[in-house]
Amino acid sequence: MYIVYIIYSLTTSKYYTGQTINLEDRIRRHNSGLSKSTKSGIKWELKYKIELISRSEAMLLEIFIKKRGAKRYLEDLNSY
């Protein structure tokens, strides 16, 4: 299974969207500063995750969320 996730930085008030097969390890890496693109935002909090069957589906959803904006995507989900 592939997981698309959205995390939120309590430090910078920004969202980050990614995809992985090991969510616990990925969030640990974000919060330990091992990920260059998110090390300035430590402490990250998981806001959303969805499991998908294939990596291609996960990549398409990740791109869709990034184009739309994570905050807006989450707001749209909550409006249903």
Side-chain angles (χ1 to χ4, degrees), residues 3-9 14-19 23 27 30 44-50 61-62 65-66 69-75 77:
I3 301 166
V4 175
Y5 64 94
I6 299 173
I7 52 177
Y8 177 75
S9 168
K14 294 188 178 184
Y15 291 90
Y16 178 85
T17 303
Q19 51 99 7
L23 185 59
I27 291 175
H30 285 302
W44 292 94
E45 182 177 274
L46 181 65
K47 292 293 184 179
Y48 174 78
K49 71 174 184 173
I50 185 170
L61 180 57
E62 179 186 9
I65 293 171
K66 286 181 174 181
K71 183 178 179 181
R72 188 172 171 196
Y73 179 82
L74 292 173
E75 288 170 350
L77 285 177

Side-chain angles (χ1 to χ4, degrees), residues 11-64:
T11 306
T12 63
S13 300
K14 294 188 178 184
Y15 291 90
Y16 178 85
T17 303
Q19 51 99 7
T20 185
I21 57 171
N22 186 338
L23 185 59
E24 287 180 20
D25 181 60
R26 191 69 180 119
I27 291 175
R28 182 191 59 76
R29 291 178 64 205
H30 285 302
N31 280 321
S32 63
L34 295 174
S35 181
K36 184 179 177 182
S37 59
T38 59
K39 69 180 178 181
S40 66
I42 298 169
K43 168 100 172 105
W44 292 94
E45 182 177 274
L46 181 65
K47 292 293 184 179
Y48 174 78
K49 71 174 184 173
I50 185 170
E51 292 183 0
L52 300 161
I53 294 171
S54 70
R55 183 164 189 239
S56 60
E57 286 178 316
M59 291 175 72
L60 289 173
L61 180 57
E62 179 186 9
I63 290 167
F64 176 80

